[in-house]
Amino acid sequence: MTASWWKMLRLAAGLLAAALAAVLVGWHSPSGPEQLRRQPRSFSSQPAPGAEANNLFWIIQVSDLHISKFQSPERASDFEKFCAETVPVIQPVLTLATGDLTDAKTEDKLGSDQFEVEWQTYQTILKRSKVMEKTKWIDIKGNHDTFNIPGLENVRNYYRKYSAWKKDGSFHYIHSTPFGKYSFICVDATLNPGPKRPYNFFGILKANKMQELSSLAAESSGSNHSIWFGHYPTSAIVSTSPGIRTAMRSATAYLCGHFHTLGGLMPALHTRHRHGTLELELGDWKDSRKYRILAFDHDLFSFADLKFEEWPVVLITNPKSFLYSSAAHEPLQRILHSTHIRILAFSPSPIKFVKVSIDGIHLGNAVHVSGPLYVLKWAPQNYSEGFHQIEVTVQDASNRNATRLHTFAMEENLSLTFNLLASWVLLTDLYVLVRVVFVLMVVVQIALLVIFRYRGNPTLKRPLGRAMRASFSLHILSKINFFYHSFLLLSFYTLLGPWFIGDIIDGHLGVCFSFGVIVDGHFFEGSTTYLVGIMQVAFFNLPLMAYTCWCLLLRCQGYGFGYYLRHAKQWPIHLSMALLFLWQVYSCFFLLKTYGTVAFFLSPLRLWTVGLTLFLVYRTWTLQSSMLRSFIVEMKNAQSS
């Protein structure tokens, strides 16, 4: 491979590494009290957790219900059972349903729309189960709940008609108790108007919404705790300065859904912001039947992610997990001053026993106080140094067992770390990352074309290795005007667009570019568009250029179109390109089903590129030998020398 080739690749790799470093430099995920970058609040060591059932309450979170008209009716029936049976057993003071209440996808799963029957099913479940009489029910919108909605006032905004909360936008709900106030702040980052899928995956918080959230944060300054909740993880929110994570820096935790634990690959998508706020993504109800219980016990925050119909439910509130501790938001010294280990145990059947062990040593059985609270006297001073592990096993009258354990510590100068991949997923601004990767991929392709267009003719030497052949094939493609201008046009057009014009929302024409979507006078900054662009470049633009280079090299070696029919070893290359071409054709079909006939025909990056591809392949194999003569001579000289 030539020196200039290596130089160009090193430059591209350096740019990519620098861009990724710039994206990732802001995230860090240590855990435990020492990770904080600001002065912790001042807390009293009293009241400390004891044997009484005081200074305690708990809530439930459920997310991504995806109640569907077409798919999996058991989602709705199980959810009704959850509302009618599980919630009454746990008896939370508050239940948060954090978005994607409905599925809003067509039967073929390609299109998206608001189906009133899905919302009616959701409302019927709430009413028939009488769950709103048993808990304060707050439900918010997710991206699926805003698919294909021209505006908040539009009749298709069924959230206003069928949800329990009914009010659009961010808000501040205060739960008042004899021992203090607790703020719950909703982050509504859904799009208005709401485009159809897939360009409705990221949330957006413009300046006015960020200002509103800052005001809500100021309102909550006098509360014992602030819990923020929304549908989107912060990594999937496009927010203006100072950024959503900075805006919620006073929060103890941010509760969200949306990522479905990456399809089950990351069962615990949890991390911590640099200001100390926990970010806790909850697995979906749709497929995983997940829900969460969260408790405040003497202002110590604890939670457990649970699976529907798995009993008993166990939550250790004192001593709490060190991994999820925050000296900035919690009075952690109360653990050291506490007199009892405290456990919440729930089950439809009576609890038979609650066994407690620390560091493998059985301490005894916790005794029932009232409701779900069980306590066991302990001496926290015995565990004042280092890490320790508490394990609680609960059995109910139906002989069902559940065990919960976690690591705790009294010292503040210790550290545990969250899962690195989970932290990366939640703390990286994904829309910035995909933008950087997309632009660099396009720039690299353009750089290859320009460099080989204007560099001198390569000197071919035996043996003709793969690197030499690759360099020579790029030299051929770039020196032939038709191919050079075709691929240069494709690259620039992928970067600048427009990709297509169509019904982004039914009855509302819009335009899609890599850098964003324009519909009905609104501009939505690029996010999902960059991801689609990466797929276009990686799985079609670059492979098509590589395939064309390879075919031109075969032409220079004297082979025609029928060569691959006689040589089976060449079939995989043609077959691979054929499959990628079929993927491009399918993307045209997807565009038709998603955004309509206008988008299908007015789609230069999809339908028109299919036509360009066929013409490129045709020209490659029918190119006159006179246009290739100089390259053929160079190849023959190299082969004969």
Side-chain angles (χ1 to χ4, degrees), residues 6 37 62 64 288 299 412 484 487 507 510 599 631:
W6 277 113
R37 301 291 184 269
V62 64
D64 296 89
S288 304
D299 282 340
E412 294 188 0
Y484 171 75
F487 282 104
F631 304 112

Side-chain angles (χ1 to χ4, degrees), residues 573-630:
I573 298 176
H574 294 286
L575 181 60
S576 298
M577 191 63 233
L579 291 175
L580 292 175
F581 177 73
L582 289 176
W583 174 79
Q584 180 74 10
V585 172
Y586 174 78
S587 70
C588 298
F589 174 72
F590 179 80
L591 200 62
L592 173 66
K593 297 293 290 185
T594 305
Y595 296 114
T597 306
V598 173
F600 176 76
F601 287 105
L602 297 182
S603 55
L605 192 66
R606 297 303 190 192
L607 184 63
W608 298 8
T609 301
V610 168
L612 174 64
T613 302
L614 294 173
F615 190 58
L616 279 170
V617 173
Y618 171 77
R619 284 296 303 271
T620 300
W621 293 106
T622 60
L623 196 65
Q624 293 180 1
S625 298
S626 59
M627 299 185 68
L628 295 169
R629 186 168 293 126
S630 62

Side-chain angles (χ1 to χ4, degrees), residues 242-485:
I244 182 59
R245 296 189 191 96
T246 300
M248 65 172 64
R249 63 187 178 276
S250 62
T252 304
Y254 174 64
L255 314 176
C256 58
H258 189 52
F259 279 172
H260 296 223
T261 58
L262 301 182
L265 296 176
M266 293 294 300
L269 269 174
H270 305 154
T271 193
R272 186 189 303 280
H273 301 170
R274 64 188 180 91
H275 295 290
T277 301
L278 292 168
E279 181 159 348
L280 308 173
E281 196 266 359
L282 174 61
D284 59 285
W285 177 270
K286 174 188 174 184
D287 297 314
S288 304
R289 299 296 191 272
K290 292 285 188 178
Y291 70 100
R292 172 180 289 155
I293 180 171
L294 310 101
F296 292 93
D297 189 357
H298 292 76
D299 282 340
L300 298 172
F301 172 75
S302 304
F303 75 97
D305 289 350
L306 308 162
K307 192 173 179 64
F308 174 57
E309 290 194 316
E310 288 189 356
W311 299 103
V313 166
V314 184
L315 177 59
I316 306 167
T317 63
N318 184 62
K320 68 162 292 177
S321 168
F322 184 82
L323 181 63
Y324 298 97
S325 297
S326 174
H329 302 113
E330 300 173 277
L332 298 179
Q333 68 273 24
R334 292 183 183 178
I335 302 175
L336 187 59
H337 289 82
S338 66
T339 59
H340 288 73
I341 295 169
R342 291 164 67 92
I343 300 148
L344 298 178
F346 306 87
S347 177
S349 304
I351 300 295
K352 288 175 64 175
F353 62 75
V354 178
K355 294 182 178 179
V356 181
S357 299
I358 295 182
D359 297 334
I361 300 173
H362 179 62
L363 299 186
N365 288 4
V367 298
H368 182 242
V369 178
S370 68
L373 180 62
Y374 291 76
V375 301
L376 178 65
K377 192 172 181 60
W378 77 323
Q381 296 77 14
N382 295 341
Y383 310 98
S384 59
E385 295 182 358
F387 289 116
H388 304 275
Q389 188 174 77
I390 182 171
E391 179 176 334
V392 174
T393 300
V394 177
Q395 185 178 91
D396 65 16
S398 300
N399 291 322
R400 293 174 294 198
N401 292 279
T403 298
R404 184 160 295 274
L405 54 86
H406 64 236
T407 299
F408 71 94
M410 307 292 180
E411 298 178 85
E412 294 188 0
N413 60 346
L414 301 175
S415 178
L416 291 175
T417 56
F418 285 90
N419 178 278
L420 183 63
L421 179 58
S423 295
W424 184 87
V425 169
L426 294 176
L427 296 178
T428 301
D429 289 326
L430 297 178
Y431 72 96
V432 177
L433 177 62
V434 293
R435 177 193 302 168
V436 170
V437 173
F438 168 70
V439 171
L440 282 178
M441 289 177 69
V442 175
V443 168
V444 166
Q445 185 173 14
I446 293 173
L448 283 171
L449 291 167
V450 174
I451 289 172
F452 281 91
R453 173 77 169 184
Y454 294 103
R455 69 189 290 269
N457 292 343
T459 301
L460 295 179
K461 299 179 181 180
R462 291 180 64 85
L464 293 178
R466 290 184 178 179
M468 181 62 71
R469 290 174 185 271
S471 177
F472 186 66
S473 65
L474 276 167
H475 171 71
I476 299 170
L477 181 141
S478 298
K479 288 294 196 296
I480 299 176
N481 289 338
F482 172 74
F483 295 108
Y484 171 75
H485 290 119

Side-chain angles (χ1 to χ4, degrees), residues 493-504:
Y493 199 89
T494 303
L495 183 64
L496 302 175
W499 292 353
F500 69 88
I501 300 171
D503 285 331
I504 305 293

Side-chain angles (χ1 to χ4, degrees), residues 25-323:
V25 70
W27 72 265
H28 179 49
S29 182
S31 47
E34 80 293 344
Q35 84 288 346
L36 303 171
R37 301 291 184 269
R38 63 192 184 91
Q39 188 67 28
R41 288 165 54 191
S42 176
F43 294 101
S44 169
S45 60
Q46 295 295 332
E52 296 78 26
N54 57 3
N55 289 35
L56 171 67
F57 74 94
W58 54 92
I59 70 172
I60 280 178
Q61 180 196 0
V62 64
S63 191
D64 296 89
L65 310 179
H66 289 265
I67 292 175
S68 174
K69 174 183 177 181
F70 305 105
Q71 309 293 331
S72 304
E74 60 272 14
R75 288 179 206 165
S77 58
D78 284 350
F79 181 62
E80 182 166 4
K81 190 174 182 181
F82 172 80
C83 292
E85 299 178 11
T86 302
V87 172
V89 170
I90 296 178
Q91 296 182 334
V93 298
L94 173 66
T95 299
L96 303 175
T98 51
D100 282 357
L101 309 176
T102 62
D103 196 47
K105 289 199 290 188
T106 56
E107 189 171 9
D108 57 14
K109 299 183 181 181
L110 298 178
S112 54
D113 199 1
Q114 294 300 310
F115 299 102
E116 189 170 12
V117 66
E118 294 180 348
W119 286 97
Q120 290 171 337
T121 300
Y122 172 71
Q123 186 187 66
T124 299
I125 290 171
L126 297 186
K127 290 183 176 180
R128 194 159 55 200
S129 65
K130 298 183 179 180
V131 70
M132 292 185 290
E133 300 174 12
K134 302 161 188 170
T135 180
K136 177 66 178 180
W137 189 276
I138 297 179
D139 46 18
I140 64 173
K141 295 181 294 184
N143 58 310
H144 282 246
D145 304 316
T146 62
F147 283 161
N148 199 28
I149 295 179
L152 298 180
E153 305 298 330
N154 190 272
V155 67
R156 292 211 297 268
N157 184 14
Y158 295 125
Y159 172 81
R160 284 191 173 184
K161 183 177 180 181
Y162 294 108
S163 71
W165 191 252
K166 291 184 168 63
K167 296 184 285 290
D168 297 292
S170 301
F171 59 86
H172 178 196
Y173 173 78
I174 298 176
H175 175 65
S176 297
T177 70
F179 44 89
K181 295 189 301 182
Y182 296 81
S183 291
F184 294 87
I185 296 177
C186 167
V187 178
D188 183 5
T190 56
L191 306 189
N192 177 35
K196 290 186 270 188
R197 63 186 300 264
Y199 300 115
N200 194 347
F201 183 78
F202 283 74
I204 296 179
L205 292 172
K206 296 185 178 180
N208 60 330
K209 287 191 174 184
M210 287 298 298
Q211 174 114 27
E212 180 184 14
L213 288 170
S214 296
S215 299
L216 297 179
E219 290 177 8
S220 68
S221 60
S223 297
N224 295 34
H225 280 277
S226 290
I227 297 294
W228 288 43
F229 63 100
H231 178 66
Y232 305 91
T234 56
S235 60
I237 297 176
V238 182
S239 57
T240 58
S241 181
I244 182 59
R245 296 189 191 96
T246 300
M248 65 172 64
R249 63 187 178 276
S250 62
T252 304
Y254 174 64
L255 314 176
C256 58
H258 189 52
F259 279 172
H260 296 223
T261 58
L262 301 182
L265 296 176
M266 293 294 300
L269 269 174
H270 305 154
T271 193
R272 186 189 303 280
H273 301 170
R274 64 188 180 91
H275 295 290
T277 301
L278 292 168
E279 181 159 348
L280 308 173
E281 196 266 359
L282 174 61
D284 59 285
W285 177 270
K286 174 188 174 184
D287 297 314
S288 304
R289 299 296 191 272
K290 292 285 188 178
Y291 70 100
R292 172 180 289 155
I293 180 171
L294 310 101
F296 292 93
D297 189 357
H298 292 76
D299 282 340
L300 298 172
F301 172 75
S302 304
F303 75 97
D305 289 350
L306 308 162
K307 192 173 179 64
F308 174 57
E309 290 194 316
E310 288 189 356
W311 299 103
V313 166
V314 184
L315 177 59
I316 306 167
T317 63
N318 184 62
K320 68 162 292 177
S321 168
F322 184 82
L323 181 63

Side-chain angles (χ1 to χ4, degrees), residues 533-547:
I534 290 171
M535 296 177 64
Q536 176 69 27
V537 175
F539 295 108
F540 194 74
N541 292 14
L542 284 173
L544 178 61
M545 190 168 84
Y547 175 76

